[in-house]
Amino acid sequence: MNAAPMQAVRGMNDVLPDAAARWQFVEGVIREVAAGYGYREIRPPLVEKSALFSAAIGEVTDIVEKEMYSFADRGGESLSLRPEATAGCMRAGIEHGLFHNNCARLWYAGPMFRRERPQKGRYRQFHQFGVEAVGWHGPDIDAEILLLGARFFRRLGIHGLRLEINTLGGAGGESRARYRAALVDYLQKNRADLDEDSRRRLHANPLRVLDSKNPAMAGVIAGAPQITDYLNAGDAEFFSALRGLLEAAAVEYTVNPRLVRGLDYYTGPVFEFVADSESLGAQNAVCAGGRYDGLAQTLGGRPAPAAGFACGLERIIALAGGGGGGAAPDVYLISVDGGDGAGEALAAAETMRDAGLAIQCNCGGGAMKNQMKRADRSGAAFAVILAADERAAGKVTVKPMRGGEQRTVGIKDAVQIIKGETQWP
Ligand code: ATP
Ligand code: MG
């Protein structure tokens, strides 16, 4: 009798050749966008001493309490598969003197491991792209990493993410301590409405209560005091300076005073890029980060201010979509009505290829509706439409295939929009 076929570990996915093309595309965009801001790649190991993670992430956190894959090495030392890479990047930077009298802009991408309940958008081996900017006090560097993130999403054709920001108060901890006291007071008064996890965290880690995913906790959380009302002058000034920079760079954001992060090392501004729940369901945060000025010292290094983020690549790939088979083109070029139209379409396609874009032309004619269906199937992030009106105006219509308004513009502007060099209005 044959043995039953072997199966992968639950929550750990194979990337099959059809999907690998999409991963390669996203990895290419990561390298390109990171280089565009002067970030250099670092590849820390997948396994570190468990003590690194409990020191960096915090003992009373979901990750360290219940999600780490830890094991005793043959010598008896506890090691863990990395649940995130910031701790490893900081450990490596300190160990190799990267931050010694120096600033460093770093990026990484690779697998992370957390023993969570597998569901859509939540896996036990998943992948993150992240950046760490070490050595700058900000807030200019905080704004830079947000711009880098926003460009990354635009370049992938992902529009319509919401950027939420908040602050946890600076590394001095004064604002946070005042807020913590007010929060503990409030939570104690509402103890009857807290779930078991939150009761346990009430004293050890009260801010984490705001991060609860339990729907039954939503009411208590909504009524909680807001940290933005407890900031000292310096922390309020830092946060408003960051907001000013984002506004100057036309980055849209909302302040969410209940945004806290699930890891202890954050200080100062924190943020998340969130998709609407229609596209991703409950697991809709695609990128999260903030400032962690105390981490270098916590890990035994000299003090070094730092800020960074981590993006979940499975969720990003789900949003970026893409057809099966080969790599999806950037653009599906639709051209309606024959005559000179075909020649103009070929020329427009060549112009866009000269600018580095991958174009799939509609061949074999067809009504607009049918061509649009093919554009959808191609997995292209954009359709570019050349019909009689566009031709008469010497323009093209750019239509994002995954949400967002279409616009009629000159071909050069179209290229810039598609490459993410122009903000989508
Ligand atoms: P969540 O609140 O969804 O558990 P988190 O606060 O644990 O997220 P971070 O540790 O900040 O998340 O990780 C940053 C990003 O990595 C998340 O926004 C998400 O996109 C992705 N991510 C985190 N955990 C997983 C997972 N188990 N599977 C897939 N992606 C994940
Ligand atoms: Mg989590």
Side-chain angles (χ1 to χ4, degrees):
M1 214 178 76
N2 288 336
M6 297 277 192
Q7 289 184 331
V9 177
R10 213 161 101 79
M12 306 214 178
N13 300 317
D14 297 301
V15 176
L16 300 176
D18 270 357
R22 244 172 286 161
W23 282 86
Q24 287 170 2
F25 170 64
V26 171
E27 286 155 5
V29 172
I30 288 172
R31 279 193 284 276
E32 172 198 310
V33 173
Y37 288 76
Y39 285 64
R40 298 163 71 213
E41 187 180 6
I42 180 166
R43 301 188 185 193
L46 303 194
V47 177
E48 301 265 4
K49 296 175 184 170
S50 304
L52 172 70
F53 299 116
S54 39
I57 299 168
E59 294 279 1
V60 190
T61 56
D62 279 349
I63 293 179
V64 173
E65 280 182 338
K66 46 192 183 196
E67 296 174 357
M68 282 215 294
Y69 283 97
S70 302
F71 57 96
D73 194 8
R74 284 174 197 271
E77 186 169 33
S78 176
L79 303 180
S80 295
L81 302 188
R82 65 181 189 189
E84 56 90 85
T86 297
C89 289
M90 294 300 283
R91 194 259 322 128
I94 295 165
E95 188 171 336
H96 302 289
L98 294 188
F99 315 140
H100 199 71
N101 294 326
N102 242 327
C103 295
R105 288 181 167 94
L106 306 172
W107 69 268
Y108 62 83
M112 309 294 159
F113 304 86
R114 297 185 194 176
R115 199 171 189 291
E116 306 198 64
R117 191 170 67 75
Q119 54 195 289
K120 183 176 177 240
R122 197 174 283 290
Y123 310 103
R124 290 180 169 178
Q125 175 176 321
F126 63 100
H127 296 73
Q128 285 182 336
F129 154 53
V131 303
E132 318 288 352
V134 186
W136 290 271
H137 286 280
D140 47 359
I141 200 85
D142 304 61
E144 176 178 286
I145 62 177
L146 285 165
L147 283 166
L148 191 164
R151 179 177 299 272
F152 175 56
F153 300 127
R154 280 206 305 282
R155 184 66 187 87
L156 291 172
I158 300 173
H159 300 281
L161 293 181
R162 192 171 71 248
L163 169 61
E164 298 188 349
I165 66 171
N166 190 24
T167 176
L168 301 178
E174 185 188 306
S175 307
R176 199 200 290 221
R178 286 202 319 191
Y179 175 62
R180 190 181 192 280
L183 182 64
V184 169
D185 189 49
Y186 168 85
L187 293 174
Q188 255 162 350
K189 285 191 184 120
N190 293 278
R191 206 182 150 81
D193 298 329
L194 301 183
D195 63 12
E196 201 191 302
D197 260 355
S198 302
R199 274 184 207 167
R200 201 163 39 78
R201 286 174 178 179
L202 202 157
H203 291 286
N205 208 339
L207 266 68
R208 189 64 26 74
V209 174
L210 302 179
D211 200 28
S212 168
K213 305 276 186 308
N214 181 355
M217 292 280 299
V220 203
I221 291 172
Q226 307 195 347
I227 189 156
T228 33
D229 295 328
Y230 293 82
L231 300 177
N232 67 20
D235 293 343
E237 163 59 24
F238 192 99
F239 194 46
S240 87
L242 172 60
R243 295 179 57 175
L245 289 172
L246 295 179
E247 278 150 33
V251 178
E252 280 185 30
Y253 67 87
T254 52
V255 175
N256 173 0
R258 291 191 179 76
L259 177 67
V260 293
R261 305 284 317 116
L263 301 83
D264 268 1
Y265 51 62
Y266 287 103
T267 56
V270 292
F271 58 84
E272 268 184 11
F273 285 91
V274 192
D276 54 45
S277 39
E278 258 165 61
S279 29
L280 282 186
Q283 316 309 328
N284 61 349
V286 296
C287 177
R291 183 157 275 283
Y292 40 92
D293 287 343
L295 185 55
Q297 245 180 319
T298 303
L299 299 182
R302 295 204 299 187
F309 67 60
C311 291
L313 294 183
E314 280 77 5
R315 296 180 197 179
I316 282 165
I317 283 174
L319 281 178
D330 298 309
V331 170
Y332 191 93
L333 184 66
I334 293 178
S335 81
V336 207
D337 95 9
D340 297 341
E344 280 178 41
L346 285 183
E350 287 301 302
T351 304
M352 290 190 279
R353 290 189 185 109
D354 286 344
L357 294 172
I359 315 298
Q360 189 169 320
C361 287
N362 184 78
C363 290
M368 174 68 115
K369 204 171 139 207
N370 289 334
Q371 295 198 35
M372 198 51 88
K373 272 190 199 149
R374 290 178 206 145
D376 200 34
R377 273 201 302 270
S378 76
F382 292 89
V384 168
I385 303 163
L386 245 178
D389 286 352
E390 284 84 1
R391 230 164 256 135
K395 295 191 166 176
V396 297
T397 296
V398 183
K399 179 181 162 59
M401 298 302 288
R402 283 175 282 284
E405 300 271 299
Q406 63 176 45
R407 305 190 68 199
T408 301
V409 295
I411 187 95
K412 285 206 179 107
D413 291 338
V415 165
Q416 285 208 317
I417 289 171
I418 293 159
K419 291 176 106 177
E421 285 160 4
T422 300
Q423 285 261 31
W424 196 258

